[in-house]
């Protein structure tokens, strides 16, 4: 009991002068026993083809544990996994822990910030695994603007501890609106920026705009 979550599926198809196919799959699950402990799991898969050639192939997974220590303060531990063919990341695994603070915690608006430290392992094609200490920071925001609509925003930064010029920044902003009791429509903007890709042929910035039907459970 006490598990809530959702699974989303989005698909876009264009045929004509340019043939494009885009698929996105998302899920999230949260276990909140209404005590001091909270578990949250998230996942995102993106795949796109243009003119029959794969143009996007990204998988992101995250697991996070939070324990409340005061009314607003909490400690956390989390592990992230990223695979992105077009950023030439075979895998990036980062595990970290730290502290956070709930700046706003009302029924309509929640906003929290956190920071921590940990270790990352990154594997790029043809290169050895790079193990680094990392510093993390992030925020999460949600605003229930009406009984059926919610605006969300998240941002996260992952810096290599001994070289802050080597970093991965991610940002998302979305709008979810209910159409049925357990069915929602979601639009979301995702931005991922890596300051130092494995080589000069890899672009630093990736932006994706997603639309999906979301099923709540």
């Amino acid at each position: 009991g006490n598990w809530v979550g959702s699974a989303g599926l989005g698909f876009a198809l264009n045929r004509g002068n340019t043939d494009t196919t885009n698929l996105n799959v998302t899920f999230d699950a949260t276990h909140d026993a209404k005590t001091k402990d909270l578990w949250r799991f998230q996942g995102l898969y993106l795949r796109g083809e243009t003119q029959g050639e794969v143009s996007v192939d990204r998988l992101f997974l995250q697991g996070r544990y939070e324990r409340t220590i005061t009314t607003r303060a909490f400690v956390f531990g989390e592990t992230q996994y990223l695979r992105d063919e077009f950023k030439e990341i075979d895998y990036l695994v980062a595990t970290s822990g730290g502290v956070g603070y709930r700046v706003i915690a009302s029924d309509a608006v929640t906003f929290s910030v956190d920071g921590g430290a940990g270790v990352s392992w990154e594997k790029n094609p043809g290169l050895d695994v790079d193990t680094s200490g990392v510093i993390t920071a992030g925020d999460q925001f949600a605003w229930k603007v009406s009984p059926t609509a919610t605006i969300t925003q998240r941002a996260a930064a992952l810096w290599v501890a001994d070289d802050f010029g080597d970093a991965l920044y991610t940002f998302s902003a979305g709008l979810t609106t209910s159409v049925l009791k357990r069915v929602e429509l979601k639009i979301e903007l995702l931005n991922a920026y890596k300051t130092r890709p494995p080589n000069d042929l890899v672009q630093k910035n990736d932006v994706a705009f997603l639309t999906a039907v979301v099923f709540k459970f």
Side-chain angles (χ1 to χ4, degrees):
N2 301 314
W3 283 98
V4 296
S6 65
L9 177 65
F11 186 74
L13 184 71
N14 182 74
R15 293 293 182 265
N17 292 318
T18 302
D19 291 350
T20 60
T21 305
N22 293 285
L23 171 73
N24 69 81
V25 180
T26 61
F27 83 87
D28 70 81
T30 301
H31 183 270
D32 185 358
K34 303 302 180 185
T35 57
K36 293 184 176 182
D37 301 301
L38 182 143
W39 291 87
R40 178 180 293 120
F41 299 92
Q42 297 172 285
L44 166 70
Y45 177 64
L46 299 177
R47 184 176 177 88
E49 293 184 2
T50 302
Q51 302 295 101
E53 297 290 331
V54 177
S55 53
V56 178
D57 189 359
R58 183 191 312 168
L59 174 66
F60 174 77
L61 301 170
Q62 178 175 284
R64 180 180 174 103
Y65 167 73
E66 294 181 5
R67 182 171 178 83
T68 299
I69 53 177
T70 71
T71 305
R72 292 183 180 268
F74 60 91
V75 294
F76 75 92
E78 70 178 18
T79 298
Q80 302 176 55
Y81 170 89
L82 172 67
R83 178 185 60 75
D84 192 327
E85 178 182 346
F86 290 88
K87 276 214 173 331
E88 295 200 2
I89 298 174
D90 289 338
Y91 64 80
L92 171 62
V93 178
T95 183
S96 61
V99 296
Y101 189 78
R102 298 182 179 97
V103 181
I104 304 173
S106 69
D107 291 339
V109 179
T110 59
F111 175 58
S112 66
V113 295
D114 62 62
V119 181
S120 74
W121 298 267
E122 182 174 352
K123 178 69 173 71
N124 306 117
L127 300 175
D128 292 335
V129 176
D130 181 21
T131 303
S132 305
V134 293
I135 305 297
T136 68
D139 81 83
Q140 296 189 61
F141 171 80
W143 176 22
K144 194 171 181 62
V145 294
S146 77
T148 58
T150 302
I151 292 172
T152 57
Q153 176 270 321
R154 289 178 181 161
L158 185 76
W159 295 282
V160 173
D162 59 1
D163 183 1
F164 272 58
D166 189 354
L168 174 66
Y169 301 101
T170 56
F171 173 85
S172 68
L175 171 64
T176 303
T177 181
S178 300
V179 291
L180 295 170
K181 184 177 181 180
R182 293 187 176 273
V183 181
E184 298 175 333
L185 292 177
K186 184 175 185 178
I187 57 173
E188 188 170 27
L189 175 72
L190 303 177
N191 190 18
Y193 183 86
K194 199 170 195 309
T195 58
R196 292 184 187 163
N199 62 64
D200 294 337
L201 300 178
V202 178
Q203 294 189 17
K204 295 181 179 181
N205 203 47
D206 284 310
V207 178
F209 184 74
L210 312 181
T211 60
V213 178
V214 178
F215 303 91
K216 299 172 67 177
F217 59 84

